[in-house]
Amino acid sequence: MTMPSLEVWADIWAQAKQDEADAIKRRREAEDHMLSLIGIAESAEGTTNAEAPGFKIKVVARIDRKVDGDLAQELAAKHGLEAHLSALFRWKPELNKSQWDHAAQSIRDALAPAITAKPGRPSFVITKE
């Protein structure tokens, strides 16, 4: 039995990649429709559970936050908040969301310009019963 040529395997691979891209597109379209039907806004954050006949649906929505480390340090210095940096941020700075949520509003207001937030793609877990 002869092994298929590299060209055949390359063609199989290219078709598989296209099938994969098509499947991802269909899955995301289905997710977008389910988000709409469940009533989850693009700006939502947290876990939502829903049910459909024969299905339990769990949607975890996230907001991706990025921190401008230089700006955060400048703002902290300007407002005398340097002592809060290590609790509120991880350095490569990342937002410590639980600490951020519990910080005084005046502290968050002063440091907020250093943070960029945008909705992330919600993840789904769907179990057939």
Side-chain angles (χ1 to χ4, degrees), residues 62-123:
R62 296 175 184 81
I63 301 293
D64 295 330
R65 292 177 171 84
K66 301 216 184 291
V67 177
D68 180 329
D70 294 335
L71 182 55
Q73 290 178 59
E74 283 179 34
L75 293 167
K78 176 180 176 181
H79 297 283
L81 300 172
E82 298 92 337
H84 296 279
L85 289 176
S86 64
L88 297 175
F89 300 99
R90 297 183 192 107
W91 293 99
K92 114 175 169 176
E94 293 176 0
L95 185 66
N96 183 336
K97 182 72 166 71
S98 63
Q99 290 293 321
W100 179 265
D101 288 343
H102 291 95
Q105 187 64 46
S106 61
I107 294 170
R108 287 183 290 164
D109 288 346
L111 297 174
I115 299 167
T116 302
K118 66 175 185 166
R121 182 96 189 148
S123 62

Side-chain angles (χ1 to χ4, degrees), residues 7-65:
E7 178 184 8
V8 169
W9 285 114
D11 187 50
I12 290 169
W13 181 91
Q15 185 59 53
K17 287 298 280 185
Q18 185 59 55
D19 293 347
E20 181 180 29
D22 293 344
I24 289 169
K25 182 179 177 189
R26 283 192 314 277
R27 176 181 52 84
R28 288 187 173 177
E29 287 172 355
E31 290 172 353
D32 289 344
H33 287 290
M34 286 188 289
L35 289 172
S36 178
L37 289 169
I38 296 168
I40 299 173
E42 182 179 297
S43 60
E45 187 171 31
T47 301
T48 303
N49 293 300
E51 292 188 19
F55 295 95
K56 288 185 179 182
I57 301 167
K58 175 182 170 182
V59 182
V60 180
R62 296 175 184 81
I63 301 293
D64 295 330
R65 292 177 171 84

